[in-house]
Amino acid sequence: VYLLLNIILSRAVVFPIIKLINAIKIYNLQSSENHENKIEVRSKDEIGELTMSYNHLSEKIHNYSKELQKKNSQLVRSQKMEMIGTLAGGLAHDFNNILGGIIGSVSLLKLYQADGDLSDEKLLDNLTIIEKSSKRATEVVSKLMNFSREEVDTKLVVDLNAIVNDVIEICRTTIDKSIHLHPGLMAGDLLVEADPGEIEQVILNLCINAAHSMTTMRGIDDRREGTLGIKTERKQVGDNNYCSVIISDTGVGIKQENIARIFDPFFSTKIEDGGTGLGLAMASSIINQHKGFIDVDSTYGDGTTLIVNLPAYTGSKGVSIESLKKHIKVGAQKILLVDDEEILREVSKELLIECGYGVILAGNGEEAISLYRKNYSEIDLILLDMSMPGMSGDEVYNKLIVDFPDIKILLSSGSEGDSRISKLLKNINVGFIKKPYTINDLADKIYKILNEKEVTPL
């Protein structure tokens, strides 16, 4: 009888409780946003009600976690837009300088031409100025687009020095000219496993805060100037190795009672100047997600130092190095050039002709499909713009690949953060070139794709 009662009691009470305890243990080990397991309710007694309560609580926590993740992403975007607004004035100033060089050189060339005084030396000098100015504009746009792109949850093995160097270049353009930049990058690679866009956002935000502490946060009668130090180093904390970025300023500093609160959301000492209090909170959150931490050292009235510490990457670097091309790769094949911008279409046509290629032009996706179907036996590659009105580049590719599985495509776009490009690049005969490009860049990309294998229709 006792044995029978034991069995009944175990099945009715002990086993369900053990199952519930095990489920709670598993839940504690899992990330709440990924947990959707429910325990089957086998009775309507107190054990059953407890199990139902657990299931409801688990579902609520799961939903709250998803909502919190969504809100966190919105806060990151909001803080990023705030920083882009801060950078806009400096970028506009830099672009005006760039355009000044280009427009001035063009005006001089026209003047020399009208006076009959356009020598080869003057022509080359002014063309060099135009080329350098254009490259500088390209770099500024590229950095801004990389910074403002939609984040992808991907971590890469990256050199922290390279990220910091990009931030330094942005700071040279955007922060107040009264601030002296004092960079100091440690020699060698500082490898970390991180999302480069997120880390750049953190470092740039800290640099902007430092610049504000030496300018807009000073009193009306105080001199607005200072030194912004941006350095990198390796260090060991306990048994762990870290790569660190040290951002120091000679600004107003932080009161001791506020240091413990600076990473709290919506806490800011510059509310009157338009601060939202999101910047440092987001920075702390991002670095924590990368298993790192931020140290703070500040003396009120005498400046602040913030140190971003990220775990050093100790695995294989895994970098393949391509040999540099010192001459233009030429060919004799025919290329279908597809671009809705007439000026770019004509310039790219001349570049291709200079490389020895025959060229067929299309101004939109529909025309490109029609021309390729009629002339596929003559066309060896399509240089295809991704962003066009009507039919985009990926739509053109998806329509043609059905009948021409070995079609060779070189995608072109001003943005490389487009998820559609990443998807298409998984195909063996698809390459990508970022606009604007030089004749060498274009020739090398085309040469590489054309020498993979021949195109054959179905």
Side-chain angles (χ1 to χ4, degrees), residues 8-138:
I8 294 172
L9 184 62
S10 294
R11 288 183 177 178
V13 178
V14 178
F15 288 171
I17 290 177
I18 291 174
K19 192 171 183 180
L20 182 60
I21 291 171
N22 288 335
I24 293 172
K25 286 181 178 178
I26 293 172
Y27 186 88
N28 287 334
L29 293 173
Q30 289 182 342
S31 174
S32 60
E33 67 244 26
N34 297 323
H35 186 81
E36 294 180 344
N37 296 330
K38 291 187 177 182
I39 302 174
E40 183 180 356
V41 180
R42 293 181 177 272
S43 63
K44 295 183 178 180
D45 57 12
E46 288 80 359
I47 299 294
E49 289 183 5
L50 182 60
T51 304
M52 287 176 62
S53 297
Y54 164 81
N55 287 338
H56 289 153
L57 180 61
S58 174
E59 184 177 2
K60 279 186 177 181
I61 293 175
H62 173 71
N63 291 336
Y64 286 148
S65 177
K66 288 175 66 176
E67 185 65 24
L68 185 62
Q69 194 174 33
K70 181 180 176 182
K71 295 294 185 185
N72 186 63
S73 297
Q74 291 173 346
L75 284 174
V76 170
R77 285 195 295 271
S78 172
Q79 195 271 328
K80 182 178 287 189
M81 291 305 104
E82 178 186 337
M83 276 198 286
I84 289 175
T86 302
L87 298 174
L91 290 172
H93 174 77
D94 201 45
F95 261 106
N96 283 334
N97 288 338
I98 291 169
L99 292 174
I102 294 173
I103 293 171
S105 295
V106 171
S107 298
L108 284 173
L109 288 174
K110 286 183 175 180
L111 178 63
Y112 295 147
Q113 176 69 28
D115 292 343
D117 189 29
L118 184 57
S119 64
D120 289 345
E121 184 179 358
K122 289 180 177 179
L123 176 62
L124 183 59
D125 287 346
N126 282 277
L127 288 177
T128 300
I129 292 172
I130 292 171
E131 182 182 32
K132 286 182 177 179
S133 297
S134 300
K135 285 182 178 179
R136 187 178 168 199
T138 301

Side-chain angles (χ1 to χ4, degrees), residues 81-366:
M81 291 305 104
E82 178 186 337
M83 276 198 286
I84 289 175
T86 302
L87 298 174
L91 290 172
H93 174 77
D94 201 45
F95 261 106
N96 283 334
N97 288 338
I98 291 169
L99 292 174
I102 294 173
I103 293 171
S105 295
V106 171
S107 298
L108 284 173
L109 288 174
K110 286 183 175 180
L111 178 63
Y112 295 147
Q113 176 69 28
D115 292 343
D117 189 29
L118 184 57
S119 64
D120 289 345
E121 184 179 358
K122 289 180 177 179
L123 176 62
L124 183 59
D125 287 346
N126 282 277
L127 288 177
T128 300
I129 292 172
I130 292 171
E131 182 182 32
K132 286 182 177 179
S133 297
S134 300
K135 285 182 178 179
R136 187 178 168 199
T138 301
E139 290 169 1
V140 172
V141 171
S142 178
K143 285 183 173 62
L144 186 61
M145 290 186 70
N146 287 339
F147 177 71
S148 61
R149 80 186 194 281
E150 197 68 27
E151 295 297 337
V152 180
D153 187 18
T154 303
K155 289 186 173 63
L156 307 170
V157 178
V158 292
D159 182 5
L160 190 58
N161 271 338
I163 296 175
V164 174
N165 195 57
D166 282 344
V167 172
I168 290 171
E169 291 305 311
I170 293 175
C171 287
R172 290 190 197 280
T173 301
T174 57
I175 65 173
D176 195 290
K177 301 303 179 185
S178 67
I179 296 172
H180 306 287
L181 270 176
H182 190 236
L185 303 187
M186 188 173 185
D189 295 335
L190 292 179
L191 299 183
V192 295
E193 189 172 9
D195 183 313
E198 288 188 343
I199 301 305
E200 183 171 318
Q201 179 181 352
V202 168
I203 298 169
L204 184 56
N205 178 72
L206 298 183
C207 289
I208 290 173
N209 283 350
H212 286 170
S213 76
M214 294 180 279
T215 53
T216 58
M217 293 178 67
R218 290 196 187 276
I220 297 175
D221 298 325
D222 294 335
R223 189 174 179 82
R224 297 192 171 195
E225 64 174 7
T227 299
L228 172 59
I230 310 173
K231 300 180 181 180
T232 58
E233 67 175 18
R234 296 183 186 91
K235 71 179 182 183
Q236 188 168 355
V237 180
D239 296 329
N240 300 316
N241 293 314
Y242 289 88
C243 297
S244 305
V245 184
I246 303 101
I247 296 134
S248 59
D249 65 69
T250 55
V252 297
I254 306 168
K255 293 179 180 179
Q256 287 301 307
E257 62 266 27
N258 289 333
I259 288 179
R261 303 178 59 199
I262 63 172
F263 296 114
D264 293 346
F266 305 108
F267 175 79
S268 176
T269 58
K270 52 178 181 177
I271 295 295
E272 294 178 1
D273 297 314
T276 62
L278 292 175
L280 289 178
M282 289 299 101
S284 178
S285 174
I286 288 170
I287 298 304
N288 287 338
Q289 288 168 14
H290 283 77
K291 296 181 171 59
F293 59 95
I294 302 177
D295 288 325
V296 184
D297 181 23
S298 183
T299 301
Y300 186 61
D302 198 31
T304 300
T305 298
L306 290 106
I307 306 174
V308 177
N309 304 285
L310 292 167
Y313 179 75
T314 56
S316 173
K317 186 175 178 182
V319 174
S320 60
I321 302 174
E322 291 187 19
S323 59
L324 295 175
K325 316 290 194 304
K326 293 188 178 180
H327 60 281
I328 298 173
K329 297 286 186 181
V330 297
Q333 295 96 328
K334 185 168 285 188
I335 293 175
L336 173 59
L337 170 59
V338 188
D339 202 306
D340 63 301
E341 290 286 345
E342 183 180 358
I343 293 176
L344 287 176
R345 196 164 61 240
E346 290 301 319
V347 171
S348 298
K349 172 188 170 184
E350 294 302 317
L351 293 177
L352 291 170
I353 290 174
E354 287 298 319
C355 292
Y357 297 109
V359 184
I360 299 175
L361 297 178
N364 56 60
E366 291 83 357

